[in-house]
Amino acid sequence: MNLARILSESSVVFGRKAAVLFRGRTYSFLDIDRSVAQYAGLLKHQGIGKGDRVAILLPKGMEFLFVHLANLALGAMTVPLNPAYTAEEIASFLSDSGASLLITDRERFAKIEIPAGKMKNIRTILTDGEGADASPSLLSGGGEIEGKDPRDYPAENDDGAMICYTSGTTGRSKGAVITHRNLVSNMKALQEAWAWTEADRLLHVLPLFHVHGLVVAMHGALHAGSTVIMHEAFDPVETLKTLEKEKITLFMAVPTIYHRLLHHWETGKPDLRAMRVFISGSAPLSKHLFKKFEETTGFRILERYGMTEAQMITSNPLNPDRRVPGSVGYPLPGVSLKILSPEGKTVVPGEVGEVWIKGDNVFKGYWNMPEKTAECLQGGWLQSGDLGYQDPDDAFRLYLVGRSKELIISGGYNIYPKEVESTLERHEAVDEAAVFGLPDEDFGERVSAAIVLKQGIPLVAPEELMAFAHQYLTGYKCPKKIFFLDSLPRNAMGKIEKEMLKRMFSP
Ligand code: MCA
Ligand code: AMP
């Protein structure tokens, strides 16, 4: 199985039906298939083939999708990058993945100034972006298929399809290698679980460089034959208008987006007669938000649980009455779960432990990090770092209660404190930094830092430290609040007590 081949086969089935509406232009399934073939021709001409890594650093648009599927069709792996990453972050992902090709636009290329040593062996293709008529530019200099379709699909099953970078507990990002089997099995499981069909119209407001927007929403829609109405970025007012105007049936978002939609609901109150299901994931959906959304809109949000390393893991049922606020639902078809105590013993339903996951959804490992892979993948079981319990009366239903990994989730983006701490500690005035999440109504959690300054150094303003962090880290990772302390609270082992910091500074 090769994901790009399967999606190409779907294109033939759905033919001239509208697949994606973007910036005023409609792309049929056949249009997309033809463009993917053309991009594959272009990439093949650049020597791209099985096992190569191709980094995509592009704003949200059709070109992102075409390059990604063309990569997969040639057996190459997509390395999707957030266009808002700093030069330093991009350089580290390019260097770690060993990408042989970077596809980006002139605007971003001008900003990234990648250190020469890190750019060794990487070629770059620059695009002019998608013009006013929304036509992807990369092909303007050629790329027509001459004769044979260049797609030869040499990768399949357990071959890598994507390398997705997730922040690391040690501060160094890890590249999760996602295989074709992972992508295809999860896509089919979701189609079944959410009764996803060609009658669906999906409003797409999420970024394309993460699993949620690209793998769950976009691959799923292309496979099911649905029509995607794609927005370049999330805008609450435009979203409310589009839900009604485009008779949307399917919407996928993170809790922050649902929270913002409710803020604007009264002004934009859409007619939702076509709507089938609102889906939420990537961060915990509070019971409060679930209930408020139901009271305001009449819809019970379907919450599901996922993780880059395991794609989608559990989902609440399609029957709205069987969705339970605070629960992430049942394992998807083909996914098994177990809940283990810190000693590695299976706990009884109702008792909290760490969630372990097994199935065709579980990734292959971290790129070039065999020790990190061995730590979290044991006998085919993936240690999630999430804490949860099974319903004592319905043992397959899962509730998440927290995390054993030190992770902050802000608006659906993950931040590992270590990365932010080491960045802040690069500032000449900072002796020590401790980074933690504080509750936030909009983002769920807000990145915050407690700082101990070096002795004898003139005081620095929090704004200066925030601006300093911004030079090296993309915006969502930067602290939104900084507190100064004379020393950090530590336990008897010398470990910083983050829970105490959270209590000290919680509003
Ligand atoms: C943007 N900013 C943020 C966040 N997003 N700060 C903290 N947390 C955030 N999530 C900052 C930017 O850095 C910038 O600040 C300022 O806010 C405005 O940026 P803008 O792009 O306009 O932001 P926004 O429109 O307000 O974005 C909010 C958002 C976005 C739409 C909720 O964060 C978003 O799309 N989140 C979804 C992420 C996602 O797809 N995650 C899935 C991961 P400055 O100017 O200072 O830089 S995959 C996953 O988790 C698994 C597999 C799963 O289960 O799905
Ligand atoms: P990522 O590394 O970006 O793929 O994020 C994966 C993590 O997001 C998971 O390990 C969970 O901690 C969290 N997550 C995803 N979906 C949910 C959910 N519905 N409820 C709570 N946490 C979630």
Side-chain angles (χ1 to χ4, degrees), residues 245-313:
K245 184 165 157 263
E246 292 291 347
K247 298 189 169 52
I248 298 300
T249 65
L250 199 53
F251 184 69
M252 291 180 195
V254 298
T256 302
I257 290 181
Y258 287 110
H259 176 253
R260 292 188 187 179
L261 284 181
L262 283 184
H263 254 273
H264 291 81
W265 203 269
E266 283 312 312
T267 43
K269 223 173 186 173
D271 173 345
L272 292 177
R273 267 175 296 181
M275 195 66 195
R276 200 164 67 78
V277 57
F278 285 100
I279 298 175
S280 176
S282 307
L285 176 73
S286 70
K287 286 185 190 171
H288 174 73
L289 185 52
F290 178 98
K291 289 197 174 131
K292 214 161 156 225
F293 198 83
E294 184 178 12
E295 280 160 21
T296 312
T297 70
F299 281 84
R300 290 165 71 77
I301 297 173
L302 183 157
E303 186 177 11
R304 57 67 180 171
Y305 160 47
M307 158 175 198
T308 302
E309 290 86 337
Q311 316 280 292
M312 297 304 101
I313 304 159

Side-chain angles (χ1 to χ4, degrees), residues 206-207 210-212 234 254 256-257 260 282 304 306-308 312 410-413 443 470 475-476 480:
L206 290 166
H210 270 312
V211 163
H212 197 161
F234 168 65
V254 298
T256 302
I257 290 181
R260 292 188 187 179
S282 307
R304 57 67 180 171
M307 158 175 198
T308 302
M312 297 304 101
S410 169
Y413 284 128
F443 285 128
H470 261 284
Y476 69 83
K480 301 260 192 281

Side-chain angles (χ1 to χ4, degrees), residues 414-428:
N414 287 8
I415 301 109
Y416 274 94
K418 187 80 200 147
E419 186 182 7
V420 188
E421 287 161 0
S422 18
T423 303
L424 290 167
E425 285 169 4
R426 282 160 70 177
H427 189 283
E428 56 182 9

Side-chain angles (χ1 to χ4, degrees), residues 185-196 223 318 332-334:
S185 66
N186 214 238
M187 181 173 74
K188 291 184 174 170
L190 290 178
Q191 196 173 345
E192 183 186 332
W194 297 341
W196 203 338
H223 186 242
L318 204 51
L332 286 165

